[in-house]
Amino acid sequence: MKRQSITILGSTGSIGCSTLDVVARHPDRFEVFALSGHSRVAELAEQCRQHRPRVAVVAGPSEAQQLRTLVGADTATEVLYGPQALEQIASAAEVDTVMAAIVGAAGLPSSLAAARTGKRLLLANKEALVMAGELFLEAVRTGGATLLPIDSEHNAIFQSLPVGFDYGLRECGVRRIVLTASGGPFRDTPIKQLADVSPDQACAHPNWVMGRKISVDSATMMNKGLEVIEAHWLFGVEAERIAVVIHPESVIHSMVDYIDGSVIAQLGLPDMRTPIAHALGFPDRLVSGTGMLDLCRTGKLSFQDPDLQRFPCLRLAYDALQAGGSAATVLNAANEIAVAAFLDGRLRFDRIASLVEAVMTRMPVVHLDDLPTVAGVDGEARSRAREQLEARAGH
Ligand code: NAD
Ligand code: MG
């Protein structure tokens, strides 16, 4: 069997490291073509020593210089930098598979480049689908790419749908899709105390170890909101047929509810190496390094409806999906600014939702005809979010 040549965009992040962990278990199946680490140069240098990619990409010239010094004559890795280089390693002719694991809107151009060039595209970067879903899917179709979801919920749904399910298919006996959510670290915190929570508290997720942006999104449940929009695009399901259930144990990763009353779910330990290995091997199953789920040890599984009072971001995401067009692009951009401000100590945790809502209400919903339109809306939403931050400073 020919080995799959793989590019990992965002290899130094949480998903990137888990991907390399799985890849390294199967040297007969995979070879690493390229890695990217933006500003985490020391980690990337270590990965280059271990995995010997042909190319490594960082943010800019000074990071490139640092990386060259760190890897030295040790490896034959070519060091490139900048967004263009990310697109290059995502679309290179030698590459079969691309893991898109850059966080936020910064991951859109390279994910799209992989889609357009017909790669097997393992998509962790949910923001790309949220901000430009229709254009993204069009690129997948015209490029002939195979899109495999890495987000644990969407991977679970993919596994629970009939074999051969085609993206965009509306009817195959599915009544609804049920996304599970842990509820994050503040599921039971008295709402009043949410004004004072710190970035470290917000990032201390009870079940998953993840990057800081997605950890904050999990704490506000914006993450689940983004995932509702992601599910809409991936599976062609409308908002009314996507339900969210809080399931604090994170054992059931999501479910598909069929018209005959059957509910098919995927279960497992909360370890991203499972969905990563599923997508890397699909349709084969690969050893992932994840432990075995023992339900007798897990004990009770519990479920509850999400409280939209506590988690207004979830409501905003449903609103954006209903509004269509550019609304989700605005939601995503404003959220990225709000989360960065919270992580920097410039915005209270309980103001993230109101900042996003303020930007959403101030921007008209337009149709996203092309990528420049997406970039324009994204940029404008970011400036409006920054204006909101300034207006609120000191309040
Ligand atoms: P992370 O913060 O741990 O890693 C992000 C990666 O992106 C790093 O390699 C970083 O160097 C790179 N990066 C950051 N800014 C960049 C920029 N401007 N340009 C280029 N590269 C940049 O994040 P993560 O937790 O691994 O999440 C990555 C993506 O996967 C996110 O979209 C997240 O929503 C999604 N995801 C993560 C998990 C998880 O368990 N961590 C689960 C589901 C989905
Ligand atoms: Mg998820």
Side-chain angles (χ1 to χ4, degrees):
M1 186 171 52
K2 180 189 168 287
R3 293 200 299 169
Q4 280 182 55
S5 173
I6 181 165
T7 282
I8 304 176
L9 301 164
S11 65
T12 53
S14 160
I15 293 287
C17 291
S18 295
T19 305
L20 280 171
D21 182 286
V22 178
V23 162
R25 290 166 198 272
H26 303 280
D28 53 323
R29 277 186 172 255
F30 305 105
E31 59 186 332
V32 178
F33 175 78
L35 300 175
S36 92
H38 203 57
S39 53
R40 302 185 196 171
V41 181
E43 291 98 316
L44 188 57
E46 186 47 42
Q47 291 183 343
C48 288
R49 272 190 286 274
Q50 208 183 328
H51 301 280
R52 311 211 155 248
R54 294 254 295 277
V55 187
V57 176
V58 286
S62 65
E63 288 87 354
Q65 199 46 51
Q66 281 174 42
L67 184 62
R68 285 191 195 103
T69 313
L70 283 173
V71 294
D74 232 29
T75 75
T77 301
E78 183 186 359
V79 178
L80 303 175
Y81 62 83
Q84 286 287 329
L86 291 174
E87 291 187 47
Q88 207 176 311
I89 59 171
S91 58
E94 298 94 320
V95 174
D96 308 302
T97 301
V98 173
M99 165 59 83
I102 289 174
V103 58
L108 177 64
S110 49
S111 306
L112 270 177
R116 281 198 205 99
T117 47
K119 306 300 184 197
R120 185 177 164 101
L121 175 53
L122 280 44
L123 188 71
N125 178 217
K126 65 190 84 182
E127 294 92 346
L129 265 186
V130 170
M131 62 190 292
E134 201 173 338
L135 294 165
F136 197 96
L137 291 188
E138 202 177 292
V140 168
R141 264 192 307 271
T142 55
T146 304
L147 185 57
L148 293 164
I150 294 298
D151 216 345
S152 57
E153 296 76 3
H154 305 75
N155 185 270
I157 290 163
F158 182 81
Q159 294 198 45
S160 305
L161 283 168
V163 174
F165 172 86
D166 192 10
Y167 291 104
L169 195 74
R170 276 164 193 273
E171 277 310 330
C172 56
V174 173
R175 181 156 53 192
R176 59 174 193 156
I177 274 173
V178 183
L179 298 177
T180 52
S182 69
F186 307 135
R187 193 184 69 240
D188 300 318
T189 308
I191 290 186
K192 275 200 187 122
Q193 288 177 21
L194 295 181
D196 301 316
V197 299
S198 70
D200 284 345
Q201 286 172 306
C203 290
H205 195 279
N207 307 336
W208 301 92
V209 181
M210 311 180 284
R212 284 172 82 77
K213 192 263 176 181
I214 185 178
S215 296
V216 176
D217 284 347
S218 299
T220 60
M221 278 191 82
M222 180 60 95
N223 182 51
K224 210 49 54 181
L226 299 178
E227 290 182 358
V228 167
I229 302 172
E230 183 185 12
H232 162 76
W233 290 115
L234 282 174
F235 306 114
V237 222
E238 55 275 34
E240 305 76 53
R241 297 207 286 160
I242 309 172
V244 170
V245 169
I246 297 209
H247 165 46
E249 296 81 12
S250 300
V251 167
I252 296 181
H253 297 313
S254 279
M255 308 176 242
V256 177
D257 186 341
Y258 289 90
I259 48 174
D260 63 1
S262 299
V263 178
I264 313 270
Q266 186 257 358
L267 286 69
L269 293 174
D271 185 328
M272 287 306 292
R273 289 177 300 177
T274 297
I276 290 168
H278 171 266
L280 278 170
F282 183 79
D284 299 343
R285 295 277 174 180
L286 302 183
V287 167
S288 67
T290 308
M292 194 177 72
L293 173 66
D294 178 348
L295 286 171
C296 297
R297 301 279 88 71
T298 310
K300 199 166 149 264
L301 298 184
S302 50
F303 305 91
Q304 66 195 65
D305 286 323
D307 171 358
L308 294 183
Q309 210 74 38
R310 174 183 291 279
F311 297 115
C313 285
L314 184 57
R315 173 180 53 80
L316 292 176
Y318 270 104
D319 290 350
L321 184 52
Q322 297 285 11
S326 58
T329 318
V330 172
L331 171 94
N332 179 65
N335 181 57
E336 285 193 28
I337 297 293
V339 170
F342 166 67
L343 285 171
D344 267 11
R346 289 181 286 120
L347 182 70
R348 270 170 39 183
F349 180 81
D350 63 341
R351 298 275 168 84
I352 293 175
S354 63
L355 191 145
V356 173
E357 186 160 25
V359 177
M360 284 174 71
T361 52
R362 281 166 179 76
M363 284 186 63
V365 175
V366 298
H367 186 258
L368 298 173
D369 296 315
D370 49 25
L371 280 175
T373 314
V374 174
V377 169
D378 176 80
E380 163 137 24
R382 281 167 202 267
S383 352
R384 299 230 174 191
R386 289 193 193 97
E387 277 165 29
Q388 285 291 317
L389 270 177
E390 273 166 37
R392 291 160 182 228
H395 292 277

